[in-house]
Amino acid sequence: MQTRSTVPRRQLGRNLRRLREEAGLTVRAAAARLDRSEATMWRIETGRTPLRPIDVQAICTVYGAPESITLALVGLAQETKTPAWWQSYGDAVPAGFDVFAGLEQAATRIDTYESDLVPGLLQVAEYVRAIAQAHYPGMSADKIEGRVRFRMERQALFSRPVPPTLRVALSEAAVLRPVGGPLVMAAQLAHLVYMAALPTVALRVVPLAAEVHPGLLTGSFVFMRFPPSPGGVADEPPTVYGDAFTGGWYHDKMAEVSQYERAFAGIWSVALDEDATLRVLADGARRYRES
């Protein structure tokens, strides 16, 4: 698998932001000195735009960074130029989703709450296809299939020698909603039963009859944690991602991340245990097959 260029890009942006702050410069002042817009500075510091090594060198010079730091960040900029595997899918990758794809591939632990649909990492192709057709009416069959292949490729992380740990709290609404029709849902729920048997996957259904829980306020979200560096500190901070109709959002500030960590714990606590969840899924698959 190719280097996940969006992760070093975010790391580069965070380091450049830290250097700017240590230099006592506001975003506006730094933008003026670098002859860039404030919007461009924001994209640089949040890892949403690539930088050439020569650009990093110039920024570090303005910020008065030590030579050792400059060399390290120039090297990081070189890393961001390595193509990521999803770039071969072109416009089949939703706008802005490349950042999430990189984080998902780098994560060692993923906790997700889904209020309406089966999460992408657990979807079967027919389910993906039904969602894509509803989300993109009028899109050509070839482009729909490109999105299906991209979603399936994301799931290759479960085949890695050391796959991430995945915990999924799934609203019962996603079990009851017949996405793609009865046959598609029968296959989808059977696949969830299969995935839940993997040693690195824990799946719990949150019943509609459950008491009030944080998920009713948060909506769906994905909480990702990343491996530590050799020094014992994670290069990438824990990050929360949420998907909206017009694009995704990210939180990686400690106060925000802690709120979502507590929210997931609260949702998990009202969910059915794993055995009861498997019974709900198996019964649902049977009912769909018989309908």
Side-chain angles (χ1 to χ4, degrees):
M1 181 171 291
Q2 294 172 305
T3 301
R4 299 173 290 277
S5 61
T6 54
V7 173
R9 203 164 72 198
R10 278 167 51 101
Q11 294 169 358
L12 177 60
R14 280 197 306 277
N15 277 285
L16 291 176
R17 180 179 63 202
R18 177 180 56 80
L19 288 174
R20 173 181 60 75
E21 292 171 345
E22 289 177 353
L25 294 173
T26 63
V27 172
R28 176 173 295 182
R33 292 195 186 187
L34 293 164
D35 195 24
R36 295 172 182 262
S37 69
E38 292 182 51
T40 298
M41 295 301 299
W42 176 82
R43 288 195 296 272
I44 289 172
E45 294 187 357
T46 55
R48 295 176 187 246
T49 190
L51 281 175
R52 298 174 302 171
I54 192 171
D55 295 326
V56 174
Q57 177 81 49
I59 293 172
C60 287
T61 298
V62 169
Y63 293 169
E67 183 179 2
S68 59
I69 298 295
T70 299
L71 289 175
L73 295 185
V74 167
L76 200 53
Q78 291 280 13
E79 257 191 86
T80 68
K81 296 171 65 178
T82 305
W85 64 263
W86 53 86
Q87 291 180 4
S88 63
Y89 286 88
D91 60 5
V93 182
F97 198 77
D98 59 334
V99 174
F100 175 75
L103 293 173
E104 183 180 71
Q105 292 292 319
T108 53
R109 178 174 170 181
I110 303 172
D111 293 340
T112 181
Y113 169 63
E114 283 291 342
S115 61
D116 296 293
L117 297 169
V118 171
L121 287 177
L122 301 180
Q123 292 172 0
V124 297
E126 294 84 358
Y127 191 95
V128 179
R129 189 173 295 111
I131 294 173
Q133 289 170 342
H135 195 178
Y136 304 101
M139 180 176 281
S140 70
D142 286 347
K143 289 189 175 182
I144 291 291
E145 291 309 305
R147 290 181 181 270
V148 173
R149 289 192 298 272
F150 167 65
R151 180 64 55 89
M152 294 298 99
E153 181 72 12
R154 282 173 54 200
Q155 299 177 8
L157 59 84
F158 291 114
S159 302
R160 296 195 317 224
V162 183
T165 298
L166 175 67
R167 292 195 301 172
V168 177
L170 180 66
S171 171
E172 188 181 7
V175 177
L176 299 174
R177 182 169 291 108
V179 174
L183 292 180
V184 171
M185 283 303 298
Q188 178 62 75
L189 297 186
H191 181 65
L192 291 181
V193 171
Y194 168 77
M195 294 299 295
L198 297 180
T200 57
V201 177
L203 174 61
R204 290 187 177 186
V205 165
V206 182
L208 293 176
E211 63 187 75
V212 174
H213 59 82
L216 299 175
L217 302 175
T218 64
S220 301
F221 64 90
V222 182
F223 190 125
M224 296 169 283
R225 296 175 179 82
F226 304 91
S229 66
V233 178
D235 289 329
E236 191 69 25
T239 301
V240 180
Y241 171 81
D243 195 15
F245 185 66
T246 55
W249 50 261
Y250 298 87
H251 292 308
D252 59 11
K253 294 180 180 178
M254 185 57 66
E256 297 166 336
V257 166
S258 295
Q259 290 185 57
Y260 278 93
E261 187 171 31
R262 291 192 296 271
F264 187 83
I267 298 167
W268 196 252
S269 70
V270 302
L272 302 174
D273 63 27
E274 280 83 352
D275 289 339
T277 290
L278 291 178
R279 288 194 294 271
V280 167
L281 297 175
D283 288 347
R286 176 183 52 77
R287 286 195 301 272
Y288 279 120
R289 283 193 298 269
E290 294 174 351
S291 63

